[in-house]
Amino acid sequence: MKTIVSTLHGSKEEKYREAISQFQSLIAGENDEGIILGMIASLLKMQFETFSWVGFYVLKGNELVVGPFQGKPPCIRIEVGKGVCGTVAQEKKTLIVSDVDAFPEHIRCDADSRSEIVVPLFQNNTLYGVLDIDSFRLNNFDETDKVYLEEICRNITTLL
Ligand code: SME
């Protein structure tokens, strides 16, 4: 197996491209959901030192249930419509929260989180869950993160 290294000094674009390339080589031939989601969470957390938490919530009935993640133990269940994750599950659109303290619906799972991005994940055009990333830094996420993370979620969709 190739040694996996992070490109901590690269640009945001380089880090995402490296994570995507490592993901494709690591999961070749795998179709297990836990391996696929867990690998993405690991690769993204490893590439970005500003990410405090990376993980998935999977839709089960009317709630999101935590799936593979990297970071501190999180809230396990989030009702659709609640918090940043539940809002994204309801609206099915990526949401960037520049300052979690200014987003009244935000559910605080980690005292270190300052900003957050949540991207919906689909399977056969139906919501499967969300990818949630928290950052230690205020205003950490922008359009570049949205573009790459949506690409990652589209890649995952073809594998689930
Ligand atoms: N902050 C999220 C909850 C999940 S944790 O950040 C891991 C929210 O408001 O939905």
Side-chain angles (χ1 to χ4, degrees), residues 53-55 57 64 66 72-75 78 82-87 100 103 105-110 113 116 118 132-134:
W53 195 91
V54 182
Y57 280 88
L64 295 164
V66 77
K72 290 183 188 166
C75 323
I78 299 172
K82 302 283 184 202
V84 187
C85 293
T87 302
V100 295
F103 189 86
E105 270 293 328
H106 173 255
I107 299 168
R108 178 167 294 285
C109 294
D110 178 356
S113 174
E116 181 165 6
V118 179
D132 178 18
I133 304 182
D134 286 5

Short mmCIF file of all heavy atoms in Angstrom, two decimals, residues 53-55 57 64 66 72-75 78 82-87 100 103 105-110 113 116 118 132-134, ligand 1:
data_model
loop_
_atom_site.label_atom_id
_atom_site.label_comp_id
_atom_site.label_asym_id
_atom_site.label_seq_id
_atom_site.Cartn_x
_atom_site.Cartn_y
_atom_site.Cartn_z
N TRP A 53 -13.59 18.74 12.91
CA TRP A 53 -14.46 17.54 12.88
C TRP A 53 -14.90 17.32 11.44
O TRP A 53 -15.30 18.27 10.75
CB TRP A 53 -15.68 17.76 13.78
CG TRP A 53 -16.44 16.51 14.12
CD1 TRP A 53 -16.23 15.71 15.20
CD2 TRP A 53 -17.52 15.91 13.39
NE1 TRP A 53 -17.11 14.65 15.19
CE2 TRP A 53 -17.93 14.75 14.09
CE3 TRP A 53 -18.21 16.24 12.22
CZ2 TRP A 53 -18.96 13.92 13.66
CZ3 TRP A 53 -19.24 15.42 11.78
CH2 TRP A 53 -19.61 14.26 12.50
N VAL A 54 -14.81 16.08 10.98
CA VAL A 54 -15.28 15.72 9.64
C VAL A 54 -16.07 14.43 9.76
O VAL A 54 -15.56 13.44 10.31
CB VAL A 54 -14.10 15.45 8.66
CG1 VAL A 54 -14.64 15.13 7.26
CG2 VAL A 54 -13.13 16.62 8.60
N GLY A 55 -17.29 14.42 9.26
CA GLY A 55 -18.03 13.16 9.34
C GLY A 55 -19.35 13.20 8.60
O GLY A 55 -19.72 14.22 7.99
N TYR A 57 -23.61 12.21 8.55
CA TYR A 57 -24.85 11.83 9.21
C TYR A 57 -25.71 11.18 8.14
O TYR A 57 -25.84 11.71 7.03
CB TYR A 57 -25.57 13.06 9.80
CG TYR A 57 -24.99 13.51 11.11
CD1 TYR A 57 -23.94 14.41 11.17
CD2 TYR A 57 -25.48 13.01 12.32
CE1 TYR A 57 -23.40 14.82 12.39
CE2 TYR A 57 -24.95 13.41 13.54
CZ TYR A 57 -23.92 14.31 13.57
OH TYR A 57 -23.38 14.71 14.78
N LEU A 64 -31.26 12.29 11.36
CA LEU A 64 -29.91 12.02 10.87
C LEU A 64 -29.17 11.30 11.98
O LEU A 64 -29.19 11.75 13.13
CB LEU A 64 -29.20 13.33 10.52
CG LEU A 64 -29.81 14.11 9.36
CD1 LEU A 64 -29.30 15.55 9.36
CD2 LEU A 64 -29.48 13.44 8.03
N VAL A 66 -25.47 9.70 13.24
CA VAL A 66 -24.05 9.86 12.93
C VAL A 66 -23.48 8.58 12.31
O VAL A 66 -23.82 7.46 12.71
CB VAL A 66 -23.25 10.33 14.17
CG1 VAL A 66 -22.97 9.21 15.16
CG2 VAL A 66 -21.95 10.99 13.74
N LYS A 72 -13.88 14.74 17.78
CA LYS A 72 -14.45 14.42 19.10
C LYS A 72 -15.79 13.72 18.96
O LYS A 72 -16.48 13.90 17.96
CB LYS A 72 -14.66 15.72 19.88
CG LYS A 72 -13.39 16.39 20.32
CD LYS A 72 -13.74 17.62 21.15
CE LYS A 72 -12.49 18.42 21.45
NZ LYS A 72 -12.83 19.75 21.96
N PRO A 73 -16.20 12.95 19.98
CA PRO A 73 -17.52 12.30 19.92
C PRO A 73 -18.62 13.36 19.73
O PRO A 73 -18.66 14.34 20.48
CB PRO A 73 -17.65 11.62 21.29
CG PRO A 73 -16.25 11.47 21.77
CD PRO A 73 -15.47 12.63 21.22
N PRO A 74 -19.47 13.18 18.71
CA PRO A 74 -20.48 14.19 18.39
C PRO A 74 -21.86 13.84 18.92
O PRO A 74 -22.06 12.80 19.55
CB PRO A 74 -20.51 14.12 16.87
CG PRO A 74 -20.31 12.64 16.62
CD PRO A 74 -19.43 12.10 17.72
N CYS A 75 -22.86 14.71 18.63
CA CYS A 75 -24.27 14.38 18.87
C CYS A 75 -24.57 13.17 17.98
O CYS A 75 -24.13 13.13 16.82
CB CYS A 75 -25.20 15.49 18.41
SG CYS A 75 -24.59 17.13 18.67
N ILE A 78 -29.82 13.82 15.02
CA ILE A 78 -30.29 15.19 14.76
C ILE A 78 -31.58 15.09 13.96
O ILE A 78 -31.61 14.43 12.90
CB ILE A 78 -29.24 16.00 13.95
CG1 ILE A 78 -27.93 16.10 14.74
CG2 ILE A 78 -29.78 17.38 13.60
CD1 ILE A 78 -26.78 16.71 13.95
N LYS A 82 -33.57 20.48 12.18
CA LYS A 82 -32.87 21.07 13.33
C LYS A 82 -31.37 21.20 13.04
O LYS A 82 -30.79 20.35 12.35
CB LYS A 82 -33.02 20.18 14.58
CG LYS A 82 -34.45 19.92 14.97
CD LYS A 82 -35.05 21.12 15.67
CE LYS A 82 -36.46 20.84 16.15
NZ LYS A 82 -37.27 22.01 16.35
N GLY A 83 -30.76 22.23 13.60
CA GLY A 83 -29.32 22.41 13.46
C GLY A 83 -28.94 22.70 12.01
O GLY A 83 -29.80 22.79 11.12
N VAL A 84 -27.64 22.82 11.79
CA VAL A 84 -27.16 23.08 10.43
C VAL A 84 -27.40 21.82 9.58
O VAL A 84 -27.89 21.90 8.44
CB VAL A 84 -25.66 23.46 10.43
CG1 VAL A 84 -25.22 23.88 9.04
CG2 VAL A 84 -25.37 24.57 11.43
N CYS A 85 -27.09 20.67 10.15
CA CYS A 85 -27.24 19.41 9.40
C CYS A 85 -28.69 19.15 9.03
O CYS A 85 -29.01 18.80 7.89
CB CYS A 85 -26.69 18.24 10.22
SG CYS A 85 -24.92 18.32 10.46
N GLY A 86 -29.57 19.33 10.00
CA GLY A 86 -30.99 19.08 9.75
C GLY A 86 -31.59 20.06 8.76
O GLY A 86 -32.50 19.72 7.99
N THR A 87 -31.08 21.30 8.77
CA THR A 87 -31.54 22.31 7.81
C THR A 87 -31.14 21.88 6.39
O THR A 87 -31.92 21.97 5.44
CB THR A 87 -30.94 23.70 8.15
OG1 THR A 87 -31.33 24.02 9.48
CG2 THR A 87 -31.40 24.77 7.20
N VAL A 100 -20.59 30.07 13.72
CA VAL A 100 -21.65 29.22 14.28
C VAL A 100 -22.42 29.92 15.40
O VAL A 100 -23.60 29.65 15.59
CB VAL A 100 -21.11 27.85 14.76
CG1 VAL A 100 -20.58 27.03 13.59
CG2 VAL A 100 -20.06 28.00 15.84
N PHE A 103 -25.51 31.69 14.13
CA PHE A 103 -26.53 30.87 13.46
C PHE A 103 -27.38 30.23 14.56
O PHE A 103 -26.96 29.25 15.19
CB PHE A 103 -25.85 29.80 12.59
CG PHE A 103 -26.79 29.04 11.69
CD1 PHE A 103 -27.12 29.52 10.43
CD2 PHE A 103 -27.34 27.82 12.09
CE1 PHE A 103 -27.97 28.81 9.59
CE2 PHE A 103 -28.20 27.11 11.25
CZ PHE A 103 -28.51 27.61 10.01
N GLU A 105 -29.81 28.28 14.87
CA GLU A 105 -30.18 26.86 14.83
C GLU A 105 -29.00 25.92 15.10
O GLU A 105 -29.18 24.71 15.25
CB GLU A 105 -30.76 26.53 13.45
CG GLU A 105 -32.26 26.71 13.34
CD GLU A 105 -33.04 25.71 14.20
OE1 GLU A 105 -32.56 24.59 14.39
OE2 GLU A 105 -34.11 26.07 14.69
N HIS A 106 -27.78 26.47 15.12
CA HIS A 106 -26.59 25.61 15.25
C HIS A 106 -26.65 24.76 16.52
O HIS A 106 -26.97 25.25 17.59
CB HIS A 106 -25.34 26.49 15.28
CG HIS A 106 -24.08 25.75 15.56
ND1 HIS A 106 -23.42 25.80 16.77
CD2 HIS A 106 -23.37 24.90 14.80
CE1 HIS A 106 -22.36 25.03 16.72
NE2 HIS A 106 -22.29 24.48 15.54
N ILE A 107 -26.34 23.48 16.37
CA ILE A 107 -26.27 22.58 17.53
C ILE A 107 -24.79 22.44 17.90
O ILE A 107 -23.98 21.98 17.08
CB ILE A 107 -26.86 21.18 17.20
CG1 ILE A 107 -28.33 21.32 16.80
CG2 ILE A 107 -26.69 20.23 18.36
CD1 ILE A 107 -28.91 20.05 16.17
N ARG A 108 -24.44 22.84 19.10
CA ARG A 108 -23.03 22.82 19.50
C ARG A 108 -22.66 21.44 20.04
O ARG A 108 -23.09 21.04 21.12
CB ARG A 108 -22.75 23.90 20.55
CG ARG A 108 -21.33 23.90 21.05
CD ARG A 108 -20.98 25.14 21.82
NE ARG A 108 -20.99 26.35 21.01
CZ ARG A 108 -20.05 26.67 20.13
NH1 ARG A 108 -19.01 25.89 19.96
NH2 ARG A 108 -20.14 27.78 19.43
N CYS A 109 -21.87 20.71 19.24
CA CYS A 109 -21.38 19.41 19.70
C CYS A 109 -19.95 19.55 20.21
O CYS A 109 -19.47 18.72 20.95
CB CYS A 109 -21.37 18.40 18.55
SG CYS A 109 -23.00 18.00 17.94
N ASP A 110 -19.27 20.59 19.71
CA ASP A 110 -17.85 20.72 20.00
C ASP A 110 -17.55 22.19 20.30
O ASP A 110 -17.76 23.06 19.45
CB ASP A 110 -17.07 20.25 18.75
CG ASP A 110 -15.58 20.39 18.91
OD1 ASP A 110 -15.12 20.91 19.95
OD2 ASP A 110 -14.86 19.96 18.00
N SER A 113 -15.61 24.42 17.77
CA SER A 113 -16.09 24.73 16.42
C SER A 113 -16.44 26.22 16.30
O SER A 113 -17.17 26.77 17.13
CB SER A 113 -17.31 23.88 16.10
OG SER A 113 -17.85 24.28 14.86
N GLU A 116 -18.67 26.20 9.95
CA GLU A 116 -19.12 24.87 9.56
C GLU A 116 -19.60 24.88 8.11
O GLU A 116 -20.12 25.90 7.63
CB GLU A 116 -20.28 24.48 10.49
CG GLU A 116 -20.87 23.11 10.27
CD GLU A 116 -21.74 22.66 11.47
OE1 GLU A 116 -21.96 23.45 12.40
OE2 GLU A 116 -22.19 21.51 11.43
N VAL A 118 -21.94 22.17 5.55
CA VAL A 118 -22.67 20.90 5.47
C VAL A 118 -23.15 20.73 4.03
O VAL A 118 -23.74 21.65 3.45
CB VAL A 118 -23.86 20.87 6.46
CG1 VAL A 118 -24.61 19.55 6.33
CG2 VAL A 118 -23.38 21.06 7.90
N ASP A 132 -20.61 16.68 7.04
CA ASP A 132 -20.53 17.83 7.94
C ASP A 132 -19.06 18.07 8.30
O ASP A 132 -18.36 17.14 8.70
CB ASP A 132 -21.34 17.51 9.22
CG ASP A 132 -21.28 18.63 10.25
OD1 ASP A 132 -20.91 19.76 9.89
OD2 ASP A 132 -21.62 18.34 11.42
N ILE A 133 -18.60 19.31 8.12
CA ILE A 133 -17.23 19.66 8.51
C ILE A 133 -17.25 20.90 9.38
O ILE A 133 -17.87 21.91 9.03
CB ILE A 133 -16.32 19.90 7.28
CG1 ILE A 133 -16.35 18.66 6.37
CG2 ILE A 133 -14.90 20.22 7.72
CD1 ILE A 133 -15.46 18.77 5.16
N ASP A 134 -16.59 20.81 10.53
CA ASP A 134 -16.45 21.94 11.45
C ASP A 134 -15.00 22.43 11.40
O ASP A 134 -14.09 21.63 11.15
CB ASP A 134 -16.72 21.50 12.89
CG ASP A 134 -18.19 21.25 13.17
OD1 ASP A 134 -18.98 21.31 12.22
OD2 ASP A 134 -18.53 20.97 14.33
N1 SME B 1 -23.24 21.53 14.43
C1 SME B 1 -24.08 20.54 13.81
C2 SME B 1 -24.19 19.31 14.67
C3 SME B 1 -23.23 18.24 14.33
S1 SME B 1 -21.67 18.53 14.92
O1 SME B 1 -21.16 19.78 14.45
C4 SME B 1 -20.65 17.29 14.58
C5 SME B 1 -25.45 21.11 13.52
O2 SME B 1 -25.77 22.21 13.94
O3 SME B 1 -26.23 20.43 12.86
#
